Every structure is written in C-alpha cells, then in structure tokens.
Amino acid sequence: MVVLKSPSEIVLMRQAGQIVAVTLAELKERVKPGITLAELDEVADRIITQHGAIASFRGVPNSDPDAPAFPAAICTSINEEIVHGIPSVRRLREGEILKLDVGAYYKGYHGDSAISVPVGRVSKEAEELIRVTEECLWAAITVARAGNRTGDIGAAIQNTAEPKGFSVVREYTSHGVGRELHEGFTLLNYGKEGQGMLLRPGLTMAIEPMINAGKWGTKVKKDRWTVVTIDGKLSAHFEHTVAITDGEAEVLTRLDS
Ligand code: MG
Ligand code: MG
C-alpha cells in the first residue's frame, strides 16, 4: 500500500534524513587507505546514536529465513560489491571504491542514503562510474515530481547510464520509505517514460541507482548478504530519500548547509 505523508510527518523524516546526512559526511572524511570497515561502522553507529536515532539496517531480516539478520549499523560494499556488504576488519586499499549505505530511524521514521567514495587515487573508469552514477541519481530526482510517473524516474536513470556504456542493476530497486525502511512500493531503476505509478505530493521514497561498469547481472556471496556483480566488474551506488511535493522533490537526506 502506498502511504502519503502529512507535512508534520515530512518534518520528522527531514530530521531522520539529516542524521543520515551528517553521518555520511563524517564517514566520507574518514575514507582513506588503512581504515577498516568495522571502524567506519563504529563511527556511524556512534553518530546515529548520539542523535537519539537507531541504525535502520541492524537486524533487518534476510530474504532467506535460514540466513542471519543484518549484523551491523551500515552497509559497506567494495569494488564489485554492489550493496549490502557487511562491515568487517578488512582494511581499505588505495584505488578501491567504497559504497557507504546509511539508514537512521528517528521518532518513527527512516532516512536512507548512500554514496560511493574513491579510496585515494582510483582508475579513470572508476572515477567515471562514480560520477555517472551520481548523475543518474540527480537525473531521477529532477523528474521525481507530482504528475510524473515511476517510469519517468527509471527512464531518467537508464538514459543517463547506458549511453556511457554502463548498465543498470535490475534485481534491486528503489523503494518507498517512511515508517518502514521499505514501505509500500518498489520503483525500478529502469523503464519507460509515462509508465508506472503516478507520483503524488506526500509520497516519500528512497531513489537508489546501482550502476555497473559491466553487465547488470548480480549474485549474492556466501555470507548471504553481499550482492556482487556477476562479472566481477565495478559497481557504484548513490541514494537519497526524497519527498514528492507540488514542485521540485525535497531531498530529505541532503546535508543542510
Ligand atoms: Mg540505503
Ligand atoms: Mg534504500
């Protein structure tokens, strides 16, 4: 079911979104060769908790009921890992790309946002992949307006990524967000303009293109969480939680200046 938010609910979602934004900004500063993923997780958990929120992802059940729930505060995914990487004592190395995905639950609402960060100097291809993936997110946000449809968002992402020779991950999607981390509907990151669900003011969603340097196929690692590219090539991911309004979408997880 699609849930429309009242203005007072959007205020709370903005607060959850700012906690996520502050956390990601702090993590980004710390991404350097030598730091471990567990250290980044600890920093994130501390910042989220200090703001009176809790980490949205810890305890999220696996789609496989026999697999463990997500064990950490944030997701950390390196290189060919697309999403849902589990923070470990693994140290970052020069030239890698790290995807940081952060969710915070505050006063009954979730914020959800992700960035891709180069570790030191990275290849031209990695740099381009990161840049284009962020462009995909903003192209999507630009068309996330009342009167448009979910297909417009998917098409905006696809039409930004594919001309550059990159592919759009099909097996994981953008989603409604609010009282639940995944609320109400999924939103494909590819599609056709004018198709899909009509966007209305009060809709809140996490738009999150996952873009691969190679093929769009994915598989899940033995830990039952980490999603990787099927061909071992690089992947990038950016995400914002947005609210549909009568005009431009409000980006709830953008850091207020
Ligand atoms: Mg996320
Ligand atoms: Mg999400």
Side-chain angles (χ1 to χ4, degrees):
M1 196 186 71
V2 172
V3 189
L4 297 179
K5 307 299 184 306
S6 67
S8 60
E9 290 182 287
I10 302 279
V11 169
L12 293 173
M13 286 194 66
R14 197 176 291 142
Q15 291 170 3
Q18 285 308 299
I19 296 168
V20 172
V22 166
T23 305
L24 275 171
E26 179 66 35
L27 292 177
K28 191 177 177 184
E29 288 291 305
R30 290 173 189 250
V31 171
K32 303 229 161 54
I35 194 166
T36 70
L37 300 173
E39 285 172 296
L40 293 172
D41 185 62
E42 217 177 285
V43 168
D45 209 10
R46 192 174 65 233
I47 298 170
I48 291 167
T49 308
Q50 276 169 353
H51 283 83
I54 61 171
S56 298
F57 304 158
R58 183 179 284 113
V60 167
N62 196 288
S63 55
D64 173 354
D66 295 331
F70 194 77
I74 64 170
C75 300
T76 53
S77 310
I78 301 172
N79 297 337
E80 77 282 4
E81 297 173 353
I82 303 169
V83 285
H84 305 166
I86 301 172
S88 68
V89 293
R90 158 88 152 78
R91 287 182 195 283
L92 291 177
R93 301 179 198 125
E94 178 93 18
E96 294 183 321
I97 66 176
L98 173 67
K99 284 123 286 178
L100 292 162
D101 197 343
V102 173
Y105 182 66
Y106 183 71
K107 296 187 177 171
Y109 294 88
H110 292 276
D112 186 9
S113 181
I115 57 175
S116 298
V117 190
V119 182
R121 277 181 65 86
V122 300
S123 69
K124 278 265 176 305
E125 188 193 37
E127 223 166 63
E128 165 94 343
L129 179 67
I130 291 173
R131 189 179 57 75
V132 169
T133 306
E134 191 167 17
E135 260 176 50
C136 286
L137 173 59
W138 287 103
I141 290 171
T142 303
V143 297
R145 314 172 66 102
N148 281 351
R149 291 180 179 271
T150 52
D152 295 304
I153 293 177
I157 292 169
Q158 200 173 7
N159 294 338
T160 304
E162 289 182 351
K164 301 282 177 13
F166 298 139
S167 65
V168 179
V169 171
R170 304 275 207 272
E171 292 149 341
Y172 297 84
T173 67
S174 298
H175 54 93
V177 61
R179 288 194 172 274
E180 306 289 335
L181 182 61
H182 293 100
E183 181 182 88
F185 62 99
T186 58
L187 197 170
L188 301 178
N189 292 319
Y190 60 96
K192 292 207 162 50
E193 286 168 15
Q195 296 191 350
M197 187 182 82
L198 185 66
L199 304 177
R200 289 182 287 164
L203 264 181
T204 48
M205 57 181 84
I207 303 178
E208 51 176 317
M210 290 148 262
I211 306 298
N212 292 350
K215 296 189 168 69
W216 57 257
T218 69
K219 60 184 180 189
V220 179
K221 283 169 86 165
K222 273 214 271 312
D223 66 16
R224 318 279 266 278
W225 276 105
T226 313
V227 180
V228 295
T229 56
I230 197 117
D231 55 14
K233 294 193 175 164
L234 294 177
S235 185
H237 178 213
F238 280 86
E239 176 179 30
H240 270 308
T241 296
V242 307
I244 303 299
T245 72
D246 285 319
E248 283 179 15
E250 183 181 349
V251 184
L252 301 170
T253 45
R254 174 159 50 188
L255 191 62
D256 283 346
S257 45

